[in-house]
Amino acid sequence: MAADDFSRRVYAVVRSLEPGDLVSYGDVAAQAGRPGAARAVGRLMAGSDGLPWWRVVTSTGRLVPGLEREHAAHLESEGFTIRGNRVVPDDRVS
DNA sequence: TATCTGACGATAG
DNA sequence: CCTATCGCCAGAT
């Protein structure tokens, strides 16, 4: 069914993410063919493993609630700058 | 089949 | 900038 294909596509998209890449849940949902299903994407990511989930953040750049610590560590390893619980969009005046 | 849940997103206060 | 609320979607029970 459509929903099944959707979840399949979501996994494919996340698996295709490369180091240094950063996308939002809404982005993944849209690329999976279901814009607006950002929430469903998060649901799928939570139950799946072996995927670069840390390369996916919320639309506002907020890190995953409950895993902020680990999430931040992964992103920093990819070369991103984390401030508080958010990915810094751009380094600006300190 | 009905209902609840949640790693979201946008808007309002 | 932060919290609260509503709307949306797929999965689980």
Side-chain angles (χ1 to χ4, degrees):
Chain A
M1 88 205 273
D4 191 35
D5 281 344
F6 170 69
S7 57
R8 209 173 156 359
R9 284 174 180 266
V10 170
Y11 293 123
V13 173
V14 178
R15 203 163 26 222
S16 299
L17 294 177
E18 297 174 32
D21 195 357
L22 189 71
V23 297
S24 65
Y25 289 91
D27 248 12
V28 176
Q31 287 180 57
R34 233 11 160 228
R39 210 162 186 178
V41 173
R43 199 115 205 6
L44 292 169
M45 300 274 283
S48 61
D49 52 332
L51 293 172
W53 57 268
W54 54 89
R55 272 150 4 195
V56 184
V57 299
T58 68
S59 192
T60 56
R62 261 238 226 266
L63 301 180
V64 176
L67 295 175
E68 304 160 352
R69 253 202 83 106
E70 185 158 341
H71 201 162
H74 277 295
L75 290 177
E76 288 178 328
S77 295
E78 306 266 315
F80 288 101
T81 302
I82 309 301
R83 198 196 304 184
N85 292 345
R86 285 216 217 168
V87 183
V88 178
D90 271 303
D91 269 332
R92 226 155 271 237
V93 291
S94 36

